[in-house]
Each structure stands twice: as structure tokens, then as C-alpha cells.
Amino acid sequence: MLQHLITQDAGLRMVPTDRGKLTTAVGQLHEDLRALPDGADPARVRVLTRWIGVGQMCLGHHEEALSFLRQSLDLAAASGNTRAVVATGLNLGDAHRYAGDMRTADALYRSALGTARSQHPELVDFALQHTGKYLMERGDLAGAEAHLREALRLRIAKGDTELIGSTRAALSQVELLIEQAAVPGADNVVPRQWSGRWTSLLQSNTTARTPDRWAEDFPAIRSAVRGLTAHQRVHPRHLRDQPFPVELINAMAQEAEDVLTANGYLHNGKWNAAVGDAANRFAGQVDLAAVVAESTGLEVEQPHNGVYIAYLEEGQFLDFHVDEFGFGEANLILCLKHERPAAAPTVSTTVFIGADGYRACDLAAGECVVFDGAITPHGRTPLGAGERVVLVSFGFRARDAAKRSVAHLPAAPR
């Protein structure tokens, strides 16, 4: 209805191509809405209120936009039109974001993406695109990039050149922001390069693929690792007896299997998929920030991102690396399923490199490990025959902004 009158500004927000024409068009939609007779088709009311809300949002009239989009979303939900619920929920998320209400926007984006994944896969790329832009504005550049890259993959599969171009433009913006986020005190190297150089050092001198080499590998990296891990905000902690509700763990395990089968993608040799409703319910009912704080002493916000991870084939492993700096100050990896033959001589484990060597964590279902993925080298040893591992990883930001500082990081190796 209004698409031809809407474009994007430099920050990728929707704005009018011609403010006067958009104002006139929105006014006409108001007239059309008022002219509807009593008992008019609710679907027509829903469409008109949605586009009035979108138009008002582009014009910067936040209160009007929120009111009309909420009305449209309520009508979509009452009619059982889940496709419209997803589309309008994304619009309402944008309206709250434009108005500065990031908390409500976050909940709307999560809900829309979860519903799209479970019921409307044709809308997943749209939900990822909107969520990626939100994460970019919030400063979660790693999360924004991950969402937008998944959206790009889906849009390339669709073959829609306009949608592909839109996502590539958003990705370019995120990549530019990443490149501009230079690390003070580290030869002005940007975080991605900093992390990549440490990962290259690790993978040039040791590997998670062959644990029997660790003792002879470690002396070559001992000094560098000690210098790096001295800056950990969180020391790795294996948590075995957390009172996580079993039904929530099982629901996530099933959701992970479903989305990995439907939308999983290979990343660094493992299978990844974005989390959905089950993981969002878990994060909403379990105070994960308290789990991190009580076990590590670091006060964090509730998780700002999450991803399912799976190792499904014999020999699959994750080599040692450090995460990109934007993922957060703490990671929590929760095991959802670990299938292993009873007589297996060895099993795949999550492994960390610390100042004194290697530490393996054999996670069973319901157990988790908390660590600082940006500074702690970590990986996973190879799966044996008949072994499968399914995990969910959550990222957390420190409440204390000083803990997020990169000013005192050691220089990246060259």
C-alpha cells in the first residue's frame, strides 16, 4: 500500500521518499478506515490499521504508530492469522525500537522469529532481517551479523534480488561498524582481527582433533595463553547440579532437533541454528543471569543472544579458537543431549586452554559450563562412533560497562 513511498536512511531505518505524499497517503488510509461500516471485515480493518501504523512510524509519529500497530496485531491474533501476527509483530517491534523502547522491541522480535521458524518458514528471512537491524542498533554486532548472514542465505535460496540487495546493504553496514570498532591499546586492531589472530596462533600450535598431542603442544603457547587468560572476566566453571526444569530442557532438545533439520547450517565444522520459542521460554523462566553471577561473581544482564549447536557425525570437532569480542563477556553452554555408546573408550568433550594447560568438561544433559569465550581458548574434541551432542549457547553482557572495556587487552600476535 505504501511501499513506493518508503525507503531507508543511512541507519537502515524506514523513512519517507516524499514526506508530503506519505502524509497524504496515510490520511487517505485514515479516511478509508473511518468509512468502513459497523461489522466490517476484521481483516480489512487489520490491513488498514497496520499500514497506518507503518506510515506513522516512518513519519516519526511514534505514539500513533504504536497504537495502530497494536490494534492490528490484536486483530491478527484474534483471527488466528499467525502469518499476519509475524509480519505485524515485526512492524510493532520496529515502532518500539524507533521510539527507543528496546526491551519491548526485543520481546516482539524474539516472538516473531520463533513463530516464523515454527509455523511460517517463508517469513524467517524477514524476521532475521528485522532482528539483525535491531541487534545492530543495540550494539550487538556479532549477533547482528549472524542473523543477517542467515537471512542472506535464505534469500539467496529464494532468488529474490531485491531482498538479497536489502540484506547485503544491512550486512555492509554491520561490517563497517565492526571495522570501525578499533581496540585501544592493541595496535589499533579491530576486534575481529584481534580474535582472528589469536585463533590463528592457537590453531597453528595445537588442535582439539588430537588430544594425545596436548602435552607436547602446550609449551609453545604457554606464555601467550597466560598473557591472554589473565584478562578473563569469567573463569570456566562446570555446573552440574543446576535446578533447570527437565520439561524445559526436553522442549529445547526437541526444538533444536527440529530447527537443525529444517534450517541448520554448517559453521566452523559444527551445525548451528537460531533458537526459537522453547529456548525463549527457558530464558524467560530461568534466571540465567543469576546462574552466571552466582557461579562466577560477574553480574550480567539477561542473555542477549542464543544459538543451537550440534555435533552429529563421527569425527566432527571444533578446533581451538576465541569468539568475536561482541558476543559478550560471559557464555553459558547448556547440554541438551549427549548420546554415547555405553562401552565407548572416550567421549567428545568441551575443552579449554588455560594458564596451566588443558581442561576437559564432559557435559551431560542438563549440565552447563560458563566461561569468557572472547578471551578463553576453547573447542570440542572429536565425536566417536555412535555419538551425538546437542547444545544451546547463550551470550551475556556485563552490567558493569568497565568489564566490557577492551582497553587493556594484550596485543594480538602477528
Side-chain angles (χ1 to χ4, degrees):
M1 280 186 172
L2 302 177
Q3 294 94 323
H4 63 294
L5 296 173
I6 297 172
T7 187
Q8 293 186 355
D9 64 11
L12 304 180
R13 287 193 172 192
M14 291 186 289
V15 294
T17 58
D18 184 308
R19 187 174 184 84
K21 289 182 178 179
L22 182 59
T23 300
T24 300
V26 171
Q28 183 58 57
L29 293 179
H30 273 287
E31 291 296 326
D32 294 345
L33 182 62
R34 283 192 290 267
L36 291 178
D38 292 341
D41 182 2
R44 177 63 176 164
V45 178
R46 173 183 60 75
V47 171
L48 287 172
T49 52
R50 179 190 174 200
W51 280 107
I52 291 171
V54 170
Q56 296 285 28
M57 173 175 62
C58 296
L59 291 167
H61 303 153
H62 300 310
E63 292 302 322
E64 294 89 341
L66 292 170
S67 176
F68 280 99
L69 286 169
R70 172 53 66 186
Q71 182 181 350
S72 183
L73 182 59
D74 290 344
L75 288 168
S79 69
N81 187 338
T82 53
R83 197 177 194 281
V85 166
V86 171
T88 312
L90 292 171
N91 295 145
L92 185 57
D94 289 344
H96 278 283
R97 171 163 59 99
Y98 289 16
D101 181 3
M102 291 300 201
R103 181 183 295 274
T104 304
D106 183 274
L108 287 161
Y109 290 130
R110 285 175 181 269
S111 177
L113 181 55
T115 302
R117 289 193 185 281
S118 62
Q119 300 183 50
H120 295 284
E122 75 279 7
L123 297 180
V124 170
D125 60 313
F126 291 95
L128 288 165
Q129 178 92 354
H130 284 256
T131 306
K133 290 180 182 180
Y134 153 71
L135 292 171
M136 178 187 71
E137 287 195 11
R138 187 174 160 174
D140 179 8
L141 300 182
E145 184 181 32
H147 280 72
L148 291 170
R149 288 202 180 282
E150 185 182 356
L152 181 60
R153 179 178 62 84
L154 293 173
R155 290 182 164 182
I156 289 173
K158 282 184 174 181
D160 189 315
T161 55
E162 184 176 352
L163 294 178
I164 291 169
S166 175
T167 303
R168 282 182 170 155
L171 263 174
S172 295
Q173 181 76 359
V174 171
E175 290 168 351
L176 177 62
L177 291 171
I178 290 172
E179 294 301 318
Q180 291 174 342
V183 179
D187 297 334
N188 206 36
V189 178
V190 301
R192 177 180 290 179
Q193 294 171 334
W194 184 89
S195 304
R197 288 180 180 175
W198 277 104
T199 294
S200 294
L201 170 75
L202 296 166
Q203 295 180 358
S204 297
N205 289 277
T206 188
T207 178
R209 184 196 291 271
T210 53
D212 55 348
R213 281 180 40 193
W214 288 351
E216 60 186 83
D217 288 342
F218 187 65
I221 57 173
R222 177 186 287 114
S223 177
V225 168
R226 283 182 174 171
L228 175 65
T229 58
H231 299 273
Q232 286 173 331
R233 282 97 26 124
V234 169
H235 298 289
R237 293 288 304 276
H238 184 172
L239 308 180
R240 293 179 171 82
D241 299 315
Q242 294 299 307
F244 298 142
V246 174
E247 65 275 12
L248 296 181
I249 299 289
N250 292 340
M252 280 194 293
Q254 184 59 57
E255 179 177 75
E257 295 277 6
D258 293 342
V259 299
L260 285 161
T261 299
N263 297 304
Y265 56 96
L266 278 172
H267 179 65
N268 290 341
K270 64 187 185 307
W271 288 99
N272 280 16
V275 298
D277 285 344
N280 292 335
R281 282 195 301 274
F282 176 80
Q285 295 183 38
V286 175
D287 190 350
L288 290 174
V291 172
V292 173
E294 290 168 6
S295 60
T296 67
L298 179 69
E299 295 290 336
V300 295
E301 299 172 352
Q302 293 299 333
H304 67 278
N305 58 26
V307 64
Y308 288 126
I309 302 169
Y311 302 83
L312 306 175
E313 297 93 26
E314 181 180 358
Q316 198 169 17
F317 76 107
L318 177 62
D319 221 342
F320 290 116
H321 66 287
V322 291
D323 296 335
E324 292 180 13
F325 213 82
F327 191 78
E329 288 67 59
N331 304 52
L332 184 149
I333 292 180
L334 171 63
C335 181
L336 303 177
K337 183 182 294 186
H338 191 165
E339 300 172 356
R340 61 185 91 183
T346 60
V347 295
S348 175
T349 60
T350 299
V351 189
F352 302 95
I353 307 178
D356 299 317
Y358 300 82
R359 175 186 177 185
C361 292
D362 180 7
L363 299 176
E367 296 181 354
C368 59
V369 62
V370 182
F371 62 103
D372 183 347
I375 294 179
T376 308
H378 59 285
R380 173 165 284 276
T381 59
L383 265 65
E387 197 173 5
R388 296 175 83 252
V389 179
V390 180
L391 312 162
V392 62
S393 175
F394 294 101
F396 302 80
R397 295 190 183 283
R399 291 189 181 279
D400 181 358
K403 297 292 186 181
R404 304 179 186 179
S405 173
V406 297
H408 304 296
L409 290 178
R414 296 190 179 276

